[in-house]
Amino acid sequence: MPTTRPVVGVLALQGAVSEHMRLLDACGAHPIEIKRSKELAAVDGLIIPGGESTTIAKLTGAEAFDAIMDDIQERALAGMPVYGTCMGSIFLAKEIEGSNQGRLGLMDIRVRRNAFGSQRFSSEREVPIPQLRDEPFNAVFIRAPIILSCGPSVNVMASIEEGIVMARQNNLLVTSFHPELTDDALVHRYFLSIISENNRNLKSGAVSTRSSVIAPVST
């Protein structure tokens, strides 16, 4: 039976896949796992969970059984909303400090991996996200990256003492933290609003300017 619920893919190769799907379902979306390129055609948006950035590059790149990285790039450049949490933000970044590892290279940000140290330094912090609500968000950081710098078209949405931890560039959204490990659906609802915005633009025939602003990085 056709559904009016937005279909949101969760890249299911690493990370907290079920936790993202739980929150998406609670927000009224229809979440599905994405493991192969052909499955991307069914989704209105995509979440890239946490994990290990060099591993995900090997699992999705040219040497993988199914090089889904190229298809994600193509869909994102055509306007599909993509949200990267923790490792997902590294995977989306144009520049990774001290690394040329494979990545999508779509978002005009420079990131530092493991900016908070090893997993034993994982923590929860109250992070203000004033563009979304007055009350701070209880953010979970696990071996989290930090965003060191952003291009002029990037909207910085949240920062802490160490640096930027949430940003948006058109249809791309990243957080250094893991909102899926809480019961607070604030960030997931926001991502769904980006998907709704994109779907309205597609129906109205609005022309995306994404491809003229962002070009993927050669790795």
Side-chain angles (χ1 to χ4, degrees):
M1 178 180 292
T3 175
T4 58
R5 302 166 69 192
V7 180
V8 183
V10 181
L11 189 62
L13 301 176
Q14 278 194 312
V17 176
S18 60
E19 288 84 351
H20 277 295
M21 296 183 74
R22 173 183 61 85
L23 275 188
L24 288 168
D25 185 64
C27 293
H30 176 59
I32 63 172
E33 292 188 2
I34 299 296
K35 294 182 179 179
R36 297 178 182 274
S37 298
K38 63 182 181 182
E39 296 166 336
L40 280 175
V43 304
D44 298 302
L46 178 70
I47 290 179
I48 302 174
E52 212 289 318
S53 57
T54 55
T55 301
I56 200 71
K58 293 177 181 176
L59 292 173
T60 61
E63 298 179 0
F65 172 74
D66 184 354
I68 193 173
M69 188 189 297
D70 289 344
D71 295 280
I72 295 173
Q73 281 184 330
E74 182 178 349
R75 286 290 312 273
L77 288 168
M80 178 183 73
V82 180
Y83 170 32
T85 61
C86 193
M87 179 281 290
S89 66
I90 300 171
F91 199 44
L92 277 165
K94 275 193 172 182
E95 186 176 355
I96 305 170
E97 185 183 57
S99 174
N100 290 317
Q101 69 183 63
R103 58 195 183 277
L104 292 167
L106 292 168
M107 191 164 176
D108 195 8
I109 56 175
R110 181 171 183 260
V111 301
R112 174 181 294 161
R113 297 185 302 177
N114 299 328
F116 299 83
S118 65
Q119 189 152 342
R120 67 192 178 96
F121 294 107
S122 300
S123 64
E124 296 183 27
R125 300 193 191 187
E126 296 293 315
V127 174
I129 312 177
Q131 295 179 39
L132 299 189
R133 72 180 181 201
D134 294 335
E135 180 185 351
F137 186 87
N138 183 38
V140 179
F141 293 88
I142 303 173
R143 296 182 62 199
I146 207 78
I147 300 171
L148 299 171
S149 61
C150 300
S153 60
V154 176
N155 176 20
V156 175
M157 299 186 66
S159 299
I160 58 177
E161 182 179 354
E162 289 83 353
I164 299 164
V165 294
M166 181 174 185
R168 176 183 174 183
Q169 183 177 16
N170 301 312
N171 55 315
L172 307 177
L173 178 70
V174 294
T175 59
S176 298
F177 52 86
H178 293 268
E180 77 280 7
L181 300 183
T182 75
D183 290 325
D184 190 338
L186 176 70
V187 179
H188 286 74
R189 285 198 302 269
Y190 179 64
F191 181 58
L192 290 174
S193 76
I194 298 173
I195 291 175
S196 297
E197 176 187 342
N198 185 60
N199 287 345
R200 286 196 299 272
N201 289 339
L202 289 174
K203 288 181 179 177
S204 67
V207 178
S208 170
T209 59
R210 285 274 295 111
S211 60
S212 65
V213 175
I214 300 172
V217 172
S218 298
T219 57

